[in-house]
Amino acid sequence: MPDQERTADVSPQATIGDGTKVWHLAQVREDAVVGPGCVVGRGAYIGTGVRVGARSKIQNYALVYEPAELGEGVFVGPAAVLTNDHFPRAVSPDGSAKSAHDWTPVGVTVREGASIGAGAVCVAPVTVGRWALVAAGAVVIRDVPDFALVVGNPARRVGWVGRTGEQLVRDGDRWVCPGTGEQYEEIDDVLVEVGGSS
């Protein structure tokens, strides 16, 4: 085991893919599945049964609570939080300590290639669409469409991004990635790749 992984707390019941690096003080809980080629940063938390797709990056001190599901190539920035409780309370109405049996966790889903910026909070249950970009510090309380750029609290769409993460520019009736030249069409507030799948 590499030196950086010696202080990590990885459950024997977790599955870690080939080539994945788990850094100092990170915790990966029981039944979590982290795909191949991932990076789990210092102090990050991956909850029980969480699924993380191949080549994803969970940056330092990010908290990914169960039952979150992350697609391939997902980026979760430093200190970002994916929550799991509709009605968070430490105690029940009678004052007794709340136990795991007193609530039902709900998850955040992050689709392929999407990025969650540093310090952002995704309040479950929400879905962040493919290749979407949640800006640093945003608070996501509604689903984010594919390729959307969302900012603020609560997060709102302010533009579209391509696979490179660059903001798309309008060219006539299409949106174009300045980095790759890929083209998209906006149909009823949904962005679709021209010649690609929606």
Side-chain angles (χ1 to χ4, degrees), residues 37-130:
C38 293
V39 175
V40 178
R42 179 184 177 94
Y45 175 83
I46 309 291
T48 303
V50 165
R51 299 292 186 261
V52 179
R55 301 174 311 284
S56 293
K57 292 185 178 181
I58 314 298
Q59 298 292 83
N60 294 0
Y61 301 103
L63 307 175
V64 181
Y65 290 104
E66 66 279 357
E69 292 189 18
L70 282 58
E72 293 188 2
V74 165
F75 176 89
V76 180
V81 181
L82 279 57
T83 74
N84 69 349
D85 196 346
H86 269 304
F87 309 109
R89 288 284 191 251
V91 295
S92 296
D94 65 3
S96 62
K98 222 174 154 180
S99 76
H101 302 290
D102 294 327
W103 66 289
T104 302
V106 291
V108 171
T109 300
V110 184
R111 303 274 189 224
E112 173 194 7
S115 294
I116 312 297
V121 178
C122 295
V123 180
V126 292
T127 296
V128 177
R130 296 167 46 248

Side-chain angles (χ1 to χ4, degrees), residues 9-16 28-34 47-51:
D9 179 5
V10 178
S11 168
Q13 286 82 46
T15 301
I16 306 297
V28 182
R29 296 287 306 274
E30 300 78 21
D31 302 317
V33 176
V34 181
T48 303
V50 165
R51 299 292 186 261

